[in-house]
């Protein structure tokens, strides 16, 4: 099984929706289950946030959203796909995807 980060990268490049059980520790302090459209792993362009980026969160019906890896309790990659955002950063993950051989690996 892939790590959360590798699954996020693979799903972002392959445009697959990820289902996560998430604990919002810094804000509402609640557990939620969400379908998200993964986009990027790393620091925001303004350098203020670092984490797992989604261009869209179906639960909150908004995006982009940033999730801290240590607050994702469980994840699974669904068979559902999405159209990537034209402003998304998933293309930046392609070199990592290729270097790690994620195309050949199973979720």
């Amino acid at each position: 099984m892939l790590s959360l980060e590798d699954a996020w990268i693979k799903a972002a490049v392959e445009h697959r929706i990820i289902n996560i059980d998430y604990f919002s520790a810094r804000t509402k302090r609640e557990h939620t289950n969400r379908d998200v459209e993964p986009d990027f792993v790393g620091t925001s362009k303004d350098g203020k946030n670092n984490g797992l980026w989604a261009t869209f969160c179906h639960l909150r019906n908004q995006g982009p959203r940033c999730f801290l890896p240590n607050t994702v309790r469980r994840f699974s990659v669904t068979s559902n796909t999405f159209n990537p955002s034209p402003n998304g950063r998933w293309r930046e993950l392609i070199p990592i995807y290729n270097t790690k051989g994620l195309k050949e690996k199973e979720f």
Side-chain angles (χ1 to χ4, degrees):
M1 180 175 194
L2 294 177
S3 69
L4 174 59
E5 182 175 306
D6 285 351
W8 202 273
I9 292 167
K10 182 174 172 66
V13 172
E14 296 178 5
H15 316 306
R16 299 265 303 270
I17 291 175
I18 295 181
N19 178 268
I20 60 173
D21 285 335
Y22 176 74
F23 180 67
S24 57
R26 292 193 305 187
T27 55
K28 297 180 180 181
R29 303 198 55 77
E30 67 181 358
H31 291 272
T32 56
N33 180 270
R34 305 164 181 239
D35 283 336
V36 297
E37 298 174 6
D39 180 55
F40 187 69
V41 175
T43 305
S44 60
K45 289 182 181 179
D46 63 9
K48 293 182 180 179
N49 295 298
N50 188 39
L52 304 169
W53 289 90
T55 54
F56 191 76
C57 172
H58 292 258
L59 176 68
R60 298 289 185 231
N61 201 31
Q62 66 180 178
R65 305 283 296 199
C66 183
F67 302 97
L68 299 174
N70 64 333
T71 59
V72 175
R73 305 293 188 221
R74 184 205 58 80
F75 72 94
S76 62
V77 179
T78 73
S79 60
N80 299 325
T81 60
F82 62 93
N83 292 320
S85 168
N87 300 321
R89 296 179 64 189
W90 64 271
R91 288 175 194 84
E92 296 175 43
L93 299 175
I94 293 173
I96 299 167
Y97 176 85
N98 290 334
T99 299
K100 291 187 169 194
L102 294 176
K103 181 177 184 176
E104 292 79 27
K105 295 182 180 177
E106 298 289 324
F107 285 105

mmCIF file of all heavy atoms in Angstrom, residues 8-56:
data_model
loop_
_atom_site.group_PDB
_atom_site.id
_atom_site.type_symbol
_atom_site.label_atom_id
_atom_site.label_comp_id
_atom_site.label_asym_id
_atom_site.label_seq_id
_atom_site.Cartn_x
_atom_site.Cartn_y
_atom_site.Cartn_z
ATOM 1 N N TRP A 8 -1.405 10.527 -2.636
ATOM 2 C CA TRP A 8 -1.880 11.870 -2.990
ATOM 3 C C TRP A 8 -1.261 12.301 -4.324
ATOM 4 O O TRP A 8 -1.952 12.830 -5.200
ATOM 5 C CB TRP A 8 -1.520 12.846 -1.883
ATOM 6 C CG TRP A 8 -2.356 14.088 -1.855
ATOM 7 C CD1 TRP A 8 -2.142 15.249 -2.545
ATOM 8 C CD2 TRP A 8 -3.531 14.306 -1.092
ATOM 9 N NE1 TRP A 8 -3.102 16.172 -2.258
ATOM 10 C CE2 TRP A 8 -3.976 15.616 -1.353
ATOM 11 C CE3 TRP A 8 -4.256 13.517 -0.194
ATOM 12 C CZ2 TRP A 8 -5.110 16.162 -0.767
ATOM 13 C CZ3 TRP A 8 -5.386 14.066 0.391
ATOM 14 C CH2 TRP A 8 -5.802 15.374 0.111
ATOM 15 N N ILE A 9 0.035 12.054 -4.482
ATOM 16 C CA ILE A 9 0.736 12.415 -5.723
ATOM 17 C C ILE A 9 0.158 11.627 -6.894
ATOM 18 O O ILE A 9 -0.178 12.196 -7.937
ATOM 19 C CB ILE A 9 2.251 12.169 -5.578
ATOM 20 C CG1 ILE A 9 2.857 13.151 -4.581
ATOM 21 C CG2 ILE A 9 2.952 12.255 -6.940
ATOM 22 C CD1 ILE A 9 4.271 12.804 -4.130
ATOM 23 N N LYS A 10 0.032 10.322 -6.726
ATOM 24 C CA LYS A 10 -0.486 9.459 -7.799
ATOM 25 C C LYS A 10 -1.911 9.866 -8.167
ATOM 26 O O LYS A 10 -2.246 10.008 -9.350
ATOM 27 C CB LYS A 10 -0.438 7.993 -7.358
ATOM 28 C CG LYS A 10 -0.920 7.001 -8.411
ATOM 29 C CD LYS A 10 -0.700 5.572 -7.930
ATOM 30 C CE LYS A 10 -1.333 4.548 -8.844
ATOM 31 N NZ LYS A 10 -0.737 4.471 -10.169
ATOM 32 N N ALA A 11 -2.760 10.083 -7.182
ATOM 33 C CA ALA A 11 -4.154 10.468 -7.442
ATOM 34 C C ALA A 11 -4.244 11.850 -8.097
ATOM 35 O O ALA A 11 -5.091 12.071 -8.959
ATOM 36 C CB ALA A 11 -4.958 10.441 -6.145
ATOM 37 N N ALA A 12 -3.367 12.769 -7.711
ATOM 38 C CA ALA A 12 -3.367 14.106 -8.323
ATOM 39 C C ALA A 12 -3.020 14.012 -9.804
ATOM 40 O O ALA A 12 -3.701 14.603 -10.655
ATOM 41 C CB ALA A 12 -2.395 15.023 -7.592
ATOM 42 N N VAL A 13 -1.971 13.267 -10.119
ATOM 43 C CA VAL A 13 -1.530 13.145 -11.512
ATOM 44 C C VAL A 13 -2.545 12.360 -12.343
ATOM 45 O O VAL A 13 -2.797 12.679 -13.505
ATOM 46 C CB VAL A 13 -0.125 12.512 -11.577
ATOM 47 C CG1 VAL A 13 0.273 12.189 -13.009
ATOM 48 C CG2 VAL A 13 0.905 13.439 -10.943
ATOM 49 N N GLU A 14 -3.173 11.344 -11.735
ATOM 50 C CA GLU A 14 -4.138 10.515 -12.455
ATOM 51 C C GLU A 14 -5.569 11.025 -12.318
ATOM 52 O O GLU A 14 -6.503 10.414 -12.847
ATOM 53 C CB GLU A 14 -4.028 9.068 -11.971
ATOM 54 C CG GLU A 14 -2.671 8.462 -12.297
ATOM 55 C CD GLU A 14 -2.499 7.037 -11.797
ATOM 56 O OE1 GLU A 14 -3.462 6.434 -11.270
ATOM 57 O OE2 GLU A 14 -1.372 6.511 -11.938
ATOM 58 N N HIS A 15 -5.752 12.125 -11.593
ATOM 59 C CA HIS A 15 -7.061 12.784 -11.409
ATOM 60 C C HIS A 15 -8.112 11.857 -10.805
ATOM 61 O O HIS A 15 -9.228 11.735 -11.297
ATOM 62 C CB HIS A 15 -7.552 13.381 -12.732
ATOM 63 C CG HIS A 15 -6.502 14.110 -13.495
ATOM 64 N ND1 HIS A 15 -5.759 15.127 -12.937
ATOM 65 C CD2 HIS A 15 -6.050 13.967 -14.763
ATOM 66 C CE1 HIS A 15 -4.906 15.578 -13.834
ATOM 67 N NE2 HIS A 15 -5.048 14.887 -14.941
ATOM 68 N N ARG A 16 -7.734 11.238 -9.677
ATOM 69 C CA ARG A 16 -8.634 10.337 -8.959
ATOM 70 C C ARG A 16 -9.024 10.960 -7.623
ATOM 71 O O ARG A 16 -8.189 11.538 -6.926
ATOM 72 C CB ARG A 16 -7.936 8.996 -8.699
ATOM 73 C CG ARG A 16 -7.522 8.245 -9.954
ATOM 74 C CD ARG A 16 -8.519 7.224 -10.422
ATOM 75 N NE ARG A 16 -8.839 6.221 -9.438
ATOM 76 C CZ ARG A 16 -8.187 5.076 -9.289
ATOM 77 N NH1 ARG A 16 -7.144 4.797 -10.039
ATOM 78 N NH2 ARG A 16 -8.583 4.217 -8.377
ATOM 79 N N ILE A 17 -10.262 10.844 -7.248
ATOM 80 C CA ILE A 17 -10.768 11.383 -5.986
ATOM 81 C C ILE A 17 -10.303 10.509 -4.832
ATOM 82 O O ILE A 17 -10.308 9.277 -4.926
ATOM 83 C CB ILE A 17 -12.299 11.506 -6.025
ATOM 84 C CG1 ILE A 17 -12.690 12.616 -7.009
ATOM 85 C CG2 ILE A 17 -12.875 11.783 -4.636
ATOM 86 C CD1 ILE A 17 -14.170 12.772 -7.235
ATOM 87 N N ILE A 18 -9.900 11.162 -3.738
ATOM 88 C CA ILE A 18 -9.495 10.465 -2.516
ATOM 89 C C ILE A 18 -10.546 10.725 -1.440
ATOM 90 O O ILE A 18 -11.008 11.853 -1.262
ATOM 91 C CB ILE A 18 -8.121 10.955 -2.006
ATOM 92 C CG1 ILE A 18 -7.022 10.609 -3.012
ATOM 93 C CG2 ILE A 18 -7.795 10.338 -0.644
ATOM 94 C CD1 ILE A 18 -5.634 11.029 -2.568
ATOM 95 N N ASN A 19 -10.908 9.667 -0.723
ATOM 96 C CA ASN A 19 -11.795 9.791 0.429
ATOM 97 C C ASN A 19 -10.918 9.779 1.672
ATOM 98 O O ASN A 19 -10.075 8.892 1.831
ATOM 99 C CB ASN A 19 -12.797 8.633 0.455
ATOM 100 C CG ASN A 19 -13.693 8.708 1.654
ATOM 101 O OD1 ASN A 19 -13.398 8.125 2.692
ATOM 102 N ND2 ASN A 19 -14.785 9.423 1.530
ATOM 103 N N ILE A 20 -11.093 10.791 2.542
ATOM 104 C CA ILE A 20 -10.284 10.869 3.759
ATOM 105 C C ILE A 20 -11.165 10.997 4.993
ATOM 106 O O ILE A 20 -12.236 11.603 4.951
ATOM 107 C CB ILE A 20 -9.280 12.050 3.722
ATOM 108 C CG1 ILE A 20 -9.996 13.400 3.579
ATOM 109 C CG2 ILE A 20 -8.261 11.865 2.621
ATOM 110 C CD1 ILE A 20 -9.081 14.619 3.711
ATOM 111 N N ASP A 21 -10.710 10.392 6.075
ATOM 112 C CA ASP A 21 -11.238 10.683 7.410
ATOM 113 C C ASP A 21 -10.262 11.685 7.987
ATOM 114 O O ASP A 21 -9.054 11.402 8.088
ATOM 115 C CB ASP A 21 -11.285 9.428 8.288
ATOM 116 C CG ASP A 21 -12.418 8.506 7.908
ATOM 117 O OD1 ASP A 21 -13.415 8.989 7.337
ATOM 118 O OD2 ASP A 21 -12.311 7.301 8.174
ATOM 119 N N TYR A 22 -10.772 12.835 8.354
ATOM 120 C CA TYR A 22 -9.931 13.977 8.687
ATOM 121 C C TYR A 22 -10.358 14.582 10.016
ATOM 122 O O TYR A 22 -11.545 14.665 10.310
ATOM 123 C CB TYR A 22 -10.060 15.008 7.557
ATOM 124 C CG TYR A 22 -9.329 16.298 7.785
ATOM 125 C CD1 TYR A 22 -7.949 16.370 7.672
ATOM 126 C CD2 TYR A 22 -10.017 17.465 8.102
ATOM 127 C CE1 TYR A 22 -7.273 17.560 7.875
ATOM 128 C CE2 TYR A 22 -9.353 18.659 8.291
ATOM 129 C CZ TYR A 22 -7.984 18.699 8.178
ATOM 130 O OH TYR A 22 -7.315 19.871 8.376
ATOM 131 N N PHE A 23 -9.378 15.005 10.806
ATOM 132 C CA PHE A 23 -9.660 15.707 12.053
ATOM 133 C C PHE A 23 -9.157 17.134 11.917
ATOM 134 O O PHE A 23 -7.963 17.371 11.737
ATOM 135 C CB PHE A 23 -8.963 15.026 13.239
ATOM 136 C CG PHE A 23 -9.224 15.728 14.543
ATOM 137 C CD1 PHE A 23 -10.484 15.749 15.092
ATOM 138 C CD2 PHE A 23 -8.198 16.372 15.205
ATOM 139 C CE1 PHE A 23 -10.728 16.409 16.302
ATOM 140 C CE2 PHE A 23 -8.427 17.030 16.403
ATOM 141 C CZ PHE A 23 -9.693 17.046 16.955
ATOM 142 N N SER A 24 -10.078 18.085 11.975
ATOM 143 C CA SER A 24 -9.707 19.501 11.834
ATOM 144 C C SER A 24 -9.254 20.039 13.191
ATOM 145 O O SER A 24 -10.023 20.644 13.928
ATOM 146 C CB SER A 24 -10.872 20.320 11.271
ATOM 147 O OG SER A 24 -12.010 20.189 12.085
ATOM 148 N N ALA A 25 -8.001 19.786 13.492
ATOM 149 C CA ALA A 25 -7.447 20.099 14.814
ATOM 150 C C ALA A 25 -7.358 21.599 15.082
ATOM 151 O O ALA A 25 -7.569 22.042 16.207
ATOM 152 C CB ALA A 25 -6.068 19.463 14.953
ATOM 153 N N ARG A 26 -7.014 22.377 14.061
ATOM 154 C CA ARG A 26 -6.782 23.809 14.296
ATOM 155 C C ARG A 26 -8.039 24.658 14.281
ATOM 156 O O ARG A 26 -8.035 25.767 14.790
ATOM 157 C CB ARG A 26 -5.810 24.355 13.250
ATOM 158 C CG ARG A 26 -4.414 23.809 13.396
ATOM 159 C CD ARG A 26 -3.414 24.548 12.587
ATOM 160 N NE ARG A 26 -3.765 24.621 11.167
ATOM 161 C CZ ARG A 26 -2.991 25.104 10.237
ATOM 162 N NH1 ARG A 26 -1.814 25.569 10.542
ATOM 163 N NH2 ARG A 26 -3.373 25.126 8.988
ATOM 164 N N THR A 27 -9.109 24.164 13.695
ATOM 165 C CA THR A 27 -10.290 25.013 13.545
ATOM 166 C C THR A 27 -11.479 24.491 14.339
ATOM 167 O O THR A 27 -11.691 24.882 15.475
ATOM 168 C CB THR A 27 -10.645 25.174 12.058
ATOM 169 O OG1 THR A 27 -10.802 23.880 11.476
ATOM 170 C CG2 THR A 27 -9.564 25.939 11.309
ATOM 171 N N LYS A 28 -12.243 23.608 13.758
ATOM 172 C CA LYS A 28 -13.498 23.172 14.377
ATOM 173 C C LYS A 28 -13.361 22.016 15.353
ATOM 174 O O LYS A 28 -14.306 21.682 16.050
ATOM 175 C CB LYS A 28 -14.498 22.807 13.286
ATOM 176 C CG LYS A 28 -14.860 23.981 12.417
ATOM 177 C CD LYS A 28 -15.846 23.599 11.362
ATOM 178 C CE LYS A 28 -16.164 24.830 10.523
ATOM 179 N NZ LYS A 28 -17.128 24.550 9.489
ATOM 180 N N ARG A 29 -12.195 21.379 15.371
ATOM 181 C CA ARG A 29 -11.941 20.235 16.245
ATOM 182 C C ARG A 29 -13.022 19.164 16.062
ATOM 183 O O ARG A 29 -13.618 18.703 17.010
ATOM 184 C CB ARG A 29 -11.817 20.674 17.698
ATOM 185 C CG ARG A 29 -10.713 21.711 17.892
ATOM 186 C CD ARG A 29 -10.239 21.869 19.310
ATOM 187 N NE ARG A 29 -9.787 20.653 19.959
ATOM 188 C CZ ARG A 29 -8.603 20.043 19.758
ATOM 189 N NH1 ARG A 29 -7.760 20.528 18.906
ATOM 190 N NH2 ARG A 29 -8.288 18.953 20.429
ATOM 191 N N GLU A 30 -13.243 18.792 14.795
ATOM 192 C CA GLU A 30 -14.239 17.772 14.494
ATOM 193 C C GLU A 30 -13.675 16.753 13.507
ATOM 194 O O GLU A 30 -12.784 17.055 12.722
ATOM 195 C CB GLU A 30 -15.506 18.405 13.911
ATOM 196 C CG GLU A 30 -15.308 19.017 12.544
ATOM 197 C CD GLU A 30 -16.559 19.674 11.966
ATOM 198 O OE1 GLU A 30 -17.625 19.628 12.596
ATOM 199 O OE2 GLU A 30 -16.461 20.229 10.872
ATOM 200 N N HIS A 31 -14.212 15.535 13.590
ATOM 201 C CA HIS A 31 -13.868 14.477 12.644
ATOM 202 C C HIS A 31 -14.851 14.553 11.482
ATOM 203 O O HIS A 31 -16.056 14.677 11.700
ATOM 204 C CB HIS A 31 -13.971 13.098 13.299
ATOM 205 C CG HIS A 31 -12.919 12.867 14.325
ATOM 206 N ND1 HIS A 31 -11.693 12.345 14.018
ATOM 207 C CD2 HIS A 31 -12.908 13.103 15.658
ATOM 208 C CE1 HIS A 31 -10.961 12.263 15.115
ATOM 209 N NE2 HIS A 31 -11.688 12.713 16.126
ATOM 210 N N THR A 32 -14.342 14.477 10.265
ATOM 211 C CA THR A 32 -15.210 14.486 9.095
ATOM 212 C C THR A 32 -14.702 13.462 8.078
ATOM 213 O O THR A 32 -13.538 13.081 8.091
ATOM 214 C CB THR A 32 -15.245 15.870 8.408
ATOM 215 O OG1 THR A 32 -13.922 16.276 8.074
ATOM 216 C CG2 THR A 32 -15.884 16.920 9.309
ATOM 217 N N ASN A 33 -15.607 13.054 7.228
ATOM 218 C CA ASN A 33 -15.265 12.200 6.101
ATOM 219 C C ASN A 33 -15.485 13.038 4.857
ATOM 220 O O ASN A 33 -16.535 13.643 4.693
ATOM 221 C CB ASN A 33 -16.151 10.956 6.091
ATOM 222 C CG ASN A 33 -15.807 10.053 4.938
ATOM 223 O OD1 ASN A 33 -16.365 10.192 3.858
ATOM 224 N ND2 ASN A 33 -14.889 9.137 5.159
ATOM 225 N N ARG A 34 -14.471 13.083 3.971
ATOM 226 C CA ARG A 34 -14.525 13.975 2.821
ATOM 227 C C ARG A 34 -14.022 13.286 1.565
ATOM 228 O O ARG A 34 -13.077 12.519 1.612
ATOM 229 C CB ARG A 34 -13.620 15.191 3.033
ATOM 230 C CG ARG A 34 -13.889 15.967 4.290
ATOM 231 C CD ARG A 34 -12.716 16.883 4.612
ATOM 232 N NE ARG A 34 -12.952 17.619 5.831
ATOM 233 C CZ ARG A 34 -12.981 18.942 5.900
ATOM 234 N NH1 ARG A 34 -12.773 19.674 4.832
ATOM 235 N NH2 ARG A 34 -13.206 19.551 7.038
ATOM 236 N N ASP A 35 -14.640 13.628 0.449
ATOM 237 C CA ASP A 35 -14.093 13.307 -0.855
ATOM 238 C C ASP A 35 -13.386 14.562 -1.341
ATOM 239 O O ASP A 35 -13.968 15.652 -1.335
ATOM 240 C CB ASP A 35 -15.194 12.934 -1.850
ATOM 241 C CG ASP A 35 -15.720 11.530 -1.627
ATOM 242 O OD1 ASP A 35 -14.985 10.697 -1.064
ATOM 243 O OD2 ASP A 35 -16.865 11.261 -2.030
ATOM 244 N N VAL A 36 -12.127 14.407 -1.736
ATOM 245 C CA VAL A 36 -11.339 15.558 -2.172
ATOM 246 C C VAL A 36 -10.667 15.264 -3.511
ATOM 247 O O VAL A 36 -10.412 14.114 -3.856
ATOM 248 C CB VAL A 36 -10.270 15.970 -1.120
ATOM 249 C CG1 VAL A 36 -10.928 16.403 0.172
ATOM 250 C CG2 VAL A 36 -9.284 14.852 -0.864
ATOM 251 N N GLU A 37 -10.399 16.338 -4.234
ATOM 252 C CA GLU A 37 -9.696 16.256 -5.511
ATOM 253 C C GLU A 37 -8.264 16.709 -5.268
ATOM 254 O O GLU A 37 -7.986 17.899 -5.162
ATOM 255 C CB GLU A 37 -10.393 17.132 -6.544
ATOM 256 C CG GLU A 37 -11.819 16.675 -6.797
ATOM 257 C CD GLU A 37 -12.608 17.584 -7.715
ATOM 258 O OE1 GLU A 37 -12.033 18.548 -8.280
ATOM 259 O OE2 GLU A 37 -13.822 17.334 -7.873
ATOM 260 N N PRO A 38 -7.329 15.756 -5.126
ATOM 261 C CA PRO A 38 -5.952 16.106 -4.780
ATOM 262 C C PRO A 38 -5.269 16.901 -5.891
ATOM 263 O O PRO A 38 -5.551 16.695 -7.075
ATOM 264 C CB PRO A 38 -5.283 14.758 -4.572
ATOM 265 C CG PRO A 38 -6.086 13.814 -5.387
ATOM 266 C CD PRO A 38 -7.490 14.330 -5.349
ATOM 267 N N ASP A 39 -4.388 17.806 -5.480
ATOM 268 C CA ASP A 39 -3.735 18.662 -6.458
ATOM 269 C C ASP A 39 -2.234 18.765 -6.254
ATOM 270 O O ASP A 39 -1.476 18.747 -7.209
ATOM 271 C CB ASP A 39 -4.353 20.062 -6.403
ATOM 272 C CG ASP A 39 -3.732 21.015 -7.405
ATOM 273 O OD1 ASP A 39 -3.716 20.674 -8.605
ATOM 274 O OD2 ASP A 39 -3.250 22.080 -6.995
ATOM 275 N N PHE A 40 -1.772 18.887 -5.021
ATOM 276 C CA PHE A 40 -0.370 19.199 -4.795
ATOM 277 C C PHE A 40 0.045 18.745 -3.409
ATOM 278 O O PHE A 40 -0.780 18.606 -2.510
ATOM 279 C CB PHE A 40 -0.164 20.719 -4.935
ATOM 280 C CG PHE A 40 1.274 21.143 -4.889
ATOM 281 C CD1 PHE A 40 2.133 20.823 -5.921
ATOM 282 C CD2 PHE A 40 1.765 21.854 -3.813
ATOM 283 C CE1 PHE A 40 3.471 21.203 -5.866
ATOM 284 C CE2 PHE A 40 3.091 22.236 -3.757
ATOM 285 C CZ PHE A 40 3.944 21.912 -4.788
ATOM 286 N N VAL A 41 1.336 18.526 -3.232
ATOM 287 C CA VAL A 41 1.930 18.220 -1.933
ATOM 288 C C VAL A 41 3.052 19.220 -1.725
ATOM 289 O O VAL A 41 3.952 19.321 -2.549
ATOM 290 C CB VAL A 41 2.503 16.786 -1.890
ATOM 291 C CG1 VAL A 41 3.232 16.533 -0.586
ATOM 292 C CG2 VAL A 41 1.409 15.759 -2.112
ATOM 293 N N GLY A 42 2.977 20.002 -0.657
ATOM 294 C CA GLY A 42 4.059 20.939 -0.376
ATOM 295 C C GLY A 42 3.578 22.277 0.125
ATOM 296 O O GLY A 42 2.497 22.395 0.690
ATOM 297 N N THR A 43 4.389 23.277 -0.103
ATOM 298 C CA THR A 43 4.153 24.623 0.419
ATOM 299 C C THR A 43 3.349 25.452 -0.575
ATOM 300 O O THR A 43 3.566 25.378 -1.786
ATOM 301 C CB THR A 43 5.500 25.316 0.695
ATOM 302 O OG1 THR A 43 6.252 24.474 1.578
ATOM 303 C CG2 THR A 43 5.319 26.666 1.352
ATOM 304 N N SER A 44 2.444 26.252 -0.043
ATOM 305 C CA SER A 44 1.649 27.140 -0.888
ATOM 306 C C SER A 44 2.550 28.148 -1.591
ATOM 307 O O SER A 44 3.681 28.399 -1.160
ATOM 308 C CB SER A 44 0.597 27.884 -0.053
ATOM 309 O OG SER A 44 1.220 28.651 0.949
ATOM 310 N N LYS A 45 2.045 28.736 -2.651
ATOM 311 C CA LYS A 45 2.836 29.690 -3.420
ATOM 312 C C LYS A 45 3.256 30.892 -2.575
ATOM 313 O O LYS A 45 4.319 31.461 -2.800
ATOM 314 C CB LYS A 45 2.071 30.150 -4.653
ATOM 315 C CG LYS A 45 1.965 29.060 -5.703
ATOM 316 C CD LYS A 45 1.243 29.545 -6.934
ATOM 317 C CE LYS A 45 1.148 28.419 -7.947
ATOM 318 N NZ LYS A 45 0.446 28.820 -9.157
ATOM 319 N N ASP A 46 2.438 31.255 -1.594
ATOM 320 C CA ASP A 46 2.792 32.391 -0.735
ATOM 321 C C ASP A 46 3.660 31.967 0.452
ATOM 322 O O ASP A 46 4.071 32.794 1.257
ATOM 323 C CB ASP A 46 1.551 33.136 -0.248
ATOM 324 C CG ASP A 46 0.639 32.284 0.627
ATOM 325 O OD1 ASP A 46 1.023 31.152 1.015
ATOM 326 O OD2 ASP A 46 -0.468 32.748 0.929
ATOM 327 N N GLY A 47 3.932 30.654 0.576
ATOM 328 C CA GLY A 47 4.803 30.148 1.627
ATOM 329 C C GLY A 47 4.183 30.073 3.008
ATOM 330 O O GLY A 47 4.861 29.748 3.976
ATOM 331 N N LYS A 48 2.887 30.311 3.137
ATOM 332 C CA LYS A 48 2.242 30.347 4.454
ATOM 333 C C LYS A 48 1.745 28.990 4.941
ATOM 334 O O LYS A 48 1.626 28.769 6.135
ATOM 335 C CB LYS A 48 1.066 31.330 4.423
ATOM 336 C CG LYS A 48 1.491 32.764 4.255
ATOM 337 C CD LYS A 48 0.307 33.700 4.277
ATOM 338 C CE LYS A 48 0.751 35.141 4.103
ATOM 339 N NZ LYS A 48 -0.380 36.060 4.109
ATOM 340 N N ASN A 49 1.417 28.086 4.025
ATOM 341 C CA ASN A 49 0.852 26.799 4.412
ATOM 342 C C ASN A 49 1.607 25.661 3.744
ATOM 343 O O ASN A 49 2.042 25.774 2.605
ATOM 344 C CB ASN A 49 -0.628 26.723 4.018
ATOM 345 C CG ASN A 49 -1.466 27.713 4.773
ATOM 346 O OD1 ASN A 49 -1.560 27.652 5.979
ATOM 347 N ND2 ASN A 49 -2.071 28.644 4.059
ATOM 348 N N ASN A 50 1.719 24.550 4.467
ATOM 349 C CA ASN A 50 2.392 23.375 3.948
ATOM 350 C C ASN A 50 1.528 22.154 4.241
ATOM 351 O O ASN A 50 1.048 21.992 5.358
ATOM 352 C CB ASN A 50 3.764 23.211 4.598
ATOM 353 C CG ASN A 50 4.572 22.116 3.956
ATOM 354 O OD1 ASN A 50 4.561 21.945 2.750
ATOM 355 N ND2 ASN A 50 5.264 21.358 4.769
ATOM 356 N N GLY A 51 1.303 21.332 3.237
ATOM 357 C CA GLY A 51 0.505 20.144 3.482
ATOM 358 C C GLY A 51 0.056 19.494 2.199
ATOM 359 O O GLY A 51 0.693 19.616 1.147
ATOM 360 N N LEU A 52 -1.070 18.804 2.284
ATOM 361 C CA LEU A 52 -1.684 18.112 1.158
ATOM 362 C C LEU A 52 -2.770 19.031 0.606
ATOM 363 O O LEU A 52 -3.723 19.362 1.310
ATOM 364 C CB LEU A 52 -2.294 16.796 1.621
ATOM 365 C CG LEU A 52 -1.344 15.839 2.333
ATOM 366 C CD1 LEU A 52 -2.121 14.705 2.979
ATOM 367 C CD2 LEU A 52 -0.301 15.309 1.370
ATOM 368 N N TRP A 53 -2.633 19.431 -0.635
ATOM 369 C CA TRP A 53 -3.549 20.401 -1.231
ATOM 370 C C TRP A 53 -4.588 19.714 -2.100
ATOM 371 O O TRP A 53 -4.275 18.810 -2.862
ATOM 372 C CB TRP A 53 -2.774 21.404 -2.074
ATOM 373 C CG TRP A 53 -1.983 22.313 -1.214
ATOM 374 C CD1 TRP A 53 -0.693 22.131 -0.789
ATOM 375 C CD2 TRP A 53 -2.421 23.519 -0.630
ATOM 376 N NE1 TRP A 53 -0.312 23.164 0.013
ATOM 377 C CE2 TRP A 53 -1.354 24.040 0.131
ATOM 378 C CE3 TRP A 53 -3.614 24.229 -0.674
ATOM 379 C CZ2 TRP A 53 -1.452 25.230 0.846
ATOM 380 C CZ3 TRP A 53 -3.707 25.414 0.032
ATOM 381 C CH2 TRP A 53 -2.636 25.896 0.777
ATOM 382 N N ALA A 54 -5.807 20.157 -1.975
ATOM 383 C CA ALA A 54 -6.904 19.697 -2.822
ATOM 384 C C ALA A 54 -7.490 20.910 -3.531
ATOM 385 O O ALA A 54 -7.659 21.972 -2.916
ATOM 386 C CB ALA A 54 -7.983 19.011 -1.986
ATOM 387 N N THR A 55 -7.777 20.766 -4.822
ATOM 388 C CA THR A 55 -8.399 21.880 -5.524
ATOM 389 C C THR A 55 -9.863 22.005 -5.159
ATOM 390 O O THR A 55 -10.450 23.065 -5.286
ATOM 391 C CB THR A 55 -8.284 21.739 -7.056
ATOM 392 O OG1 THR A 55 -8.796 20.478 -7.451
ATOM 393 C CG2 THR A 55 -6.861 21.901 -7.513
ATOM 394 N N PHE A 56 -10.457 20.887 -4.650
ATOM 395 C CA PHE A 56 -11.863 20.943 -4.292
ATOM 396 C C PHE A 56 -12.170 19.916 -3.210
ATOM 397 O O PHE A 56 -11.711 18.777 -3.279
ATOM 398 C CB PHE A 56 -12.741 20.676 -5.523
ATOM 399 C CG PHE A 56 -14.184 20.971 -5.310
ATOM 400 C CD1 PHE A 56 -14.636 22.285 -5.297
ATOM 401 C CD2 PHE A 56 -15.090 19.959 -5.107
ATOM 402 C CE1 PHE A 56 -15.977 22.572 -5.093
ATOM 403 C CE2 PHE A 56 -16.435 20.231 -4.901
ATOM 404 C CZ PHE A 56 -16.880 21.544 -4.899
#
